[in-house]
Amino acid sequence: MRKTLSVTDSALETSVAGVNFPTPIGLAAGFDKNGRAIRTMAGIGFGFVEIGSVSLSWSPGNSRPRLFRLPDDRSVIVAYGVPNEGAEAVSSRLSRTEFSVPVGINIVKTNGGPGSPPGSDEAIVAEYVEATRALQRHADYLMFNLSCPNTADGKDFFSDASRLDMWLSAMAAEKTVRPIFLKVSPLGGVPAVERLLASLEPYDFVDGIMFNLPIVKPEGEIVTPRAVWSDLPGAVSGPPSAAMLDSCLAACYRMMDKNRYRLFASGGVSTGANAYQKIRLGASLVSLHTALIYEGPLVVRRVTRQLSQLLARDGIAHIADVVGADNS
C-alpha cells in the first residue's frame, strides 16, 4: 500500500526534535486509540502516526451516544472520553510490530467514567509518569494530552499553573529519553499562551506544543442550525475548529523561542492548502483525522501531493524554509 499511495518528495522531508519524518502530514490521535492500525495508516501515506490517547489503566470512556456527525460542516462532535485498553495492553501490542514511519504515543489520564471518584493532584501526576514508563520505549515521540476535552467532568486540570508545574517537575525527574510535546487547551487566547510559555521556561525537556480541540463549541463557525448541536456533549472537530486553533498556533509561534520549540497543528485539514497555511503560520507538523470520515483514505495522498505541488509552485526547496513564513 505504501509503495502505491505514499508521496515521495525530498522537499517534504523534515526533522523535528531529532526525529526524521518523510512528510509533515500525520494521523492525529483519536483514530487509532490502541495501536491496532499503525501499519495500515502508514500504508495509506501518512508521514507519521500518533496513537491514543492511552491512559495508564483501561478506560471505558463516556457513556454512549458519544460521537455525532455534522455533515453540513464536514465536522464531528467528539465526546468519547478517551476509551482505550490501557498502557500495558498497548505496550505489549507495540512490542510485536515494526513500523515504517515515526509513531507518536498520546498519553492521558485515565477516565474512569461517570461516577468515578476524582483523583488527587499527586495521583494524577503519578499516573502520567507510570504510563510514560510503560510506553516510551515504543514511541518516536510522546504527546502528553494535558487538556482532553472529552473527560466526564469536562475540566482542564492543567489550567492551574501550580498543577502544571507539579507535572513538569515530575516529568523532569524522569529524564525521559523521547521527544516530548504538550497538547494544551486553546482557550484563553494570547494571555494563556504567554502563561504556558512562562511555565515551560525552566523545563528544557519540552520540545514543542500542540493545541487541542476547545471544550466550548465555536458557534460562529458552525453552519448546522444551533438546535441540532447545542445540547450535544463534546468538542467540535473539523473545519469549525480551525479558526481558534490557527489563532493559538500563530500566537504561540510569534512568542516562543524558535530555536527550542516546534509546533504541531490540526483542525480542518482536508487539502494541501489547509496544511500549507498552518505550516506558514508556524507548524512543523500537521495532522488530520476528521477528513478521513468525509473524504476517505485517499485524502492523505491528495493532501500530501497538493502540499508538494504548492512548494514547487513557490520555488521552495524544503518545507522547513516556510515554517512561520506568514507570521513574522
Side-chain angles (χ1 to χ4, degrees), residues 134-158:
L135 293 165
Q136 68 164 313
R137 65 185 180 275
H138 306 299
D140 291 286
Y141 71 87
L142 299 172
M143 180 72 76
F144 288 93
N145 189 342
L146 303 187
S147 172
C148 180
N150 303 322
T151 53
D153 61 10
K155 294 180 180 178
D156 181 1
F157 177 85
F158 291 98

Side-chain angles (χ1 to χ4, degrees), residues 187-207:
L187 300 179
V190 171
V193 175
E194 290 177 332
R195 290 193 297 271
L196 172 65
L197 292 173
S199 295
L200 298 182
E201 185 62 30
Y203 300 99
D204 60 4
F205 67 89
V206 177
D207 294 287

Side-chain angles (χ1 to χ4, degrees), residues 6 20 114 117 131 142 154 162 164 177 183 230 242 247 268-269 284 325:
S6 64
N20 296 319
L142 299 172
S162 63
L164 177 59
V177 297
K183 194 170 188 178
S230 60
S247 176
V269 178
S284 293

Side-chain angles (χ1 to χ4, degrees), residues 27-230:
L27 176 67
F31 182 90
D32 186 5
K33 297 173 175 59
N34 296 299
R36 293 179 176 275
I38 297 172
R39 293 174 66 188
T40 301
M41 293 298 101
I44 65 174
F46 279 115
F48 64 97
V49 173
E50 187 172 312
I51 68 167
S53 296
V54 182
S55 52
L56 178 62
S57 303
W58 170 80
S59 176
N62 294 333
S63 301
R64 298 171 189 254
R66 57 191 186 184
L67 189 67
F68 313 91
R69 295 192 186 198
L70 301 180
D72 290 344
D73 290 279
R74 306 185 79 75
S75 173
V76 173
I77 299 180
V78 187
Y80 265 125
V82 294
N84 71 94
E85 297 173 353
E88 182 177 348
V90 173
S91 175
S92 176
R93 178 173 298 113
L94 297 183
S95 69
R96 301 191 296 269
T97 312
E98 294 184 359
F99 307 113
S100 58
V101 298
V103 173
I105 301 181
N106 187 299
I107 296 177
V108 74
K109 176 192 172 295
T110 303
N111 175 15
S116 60
S120 67
D121 292 0
E122 293 78 9
I124 290 171
V125 170
E127 186 171 314
Y128 277 94
V129 171
E130 289 299 318
T132 301
R133 291 172 179 170
L135 293 165
Q136 68 164 313
R137 65 185 180 275
H138 306 299
D140 291 286
Y141 71 87
L142 299 172
M143 180 72 76
F144 288 93
N145 189 342
L146 303 187
S147 172
C148 180
N150 303 322
T151 53
D153 61 10
K155 294 180 180 178
D156 181 1
F157 177 85
F158 291 98
S159 62
D160 183 295
S162 63
R163 287 170 166 171
L164 177 59
D165 190 69
M166 179 189 299
W167 182 88
L168 288 165
S169 296
M171 291 304 303
E174 280 298 295
K175 302 186 184 306
T176 306
V177 297
R178 295 292 187 265
I180 287 178
F181 300 88
L182 307 185
K183 194 170 188 178
V184 299
S185 171
L187 300 179
V190 171
V193 175
E194 290 177 332
R195 290 193 297 271
L196 172 65
L197 292 173
S199 295
L200 298 182
E201 185 62 30
Y203 300 99
D204 60 4
F205 67 89
V206 177
D207 294 287
I209 297 164
M210 181 177 188
F211 292 95
N212 205 353
L213 296 176
I215 59 174
V216 297
K217 295 180 174 65
E219 296 194 29
E221 304 294 330
I222 303 176
V223 174
T224 303
R226 193 176 191 281
V228 174
W229 51 262
S230 60

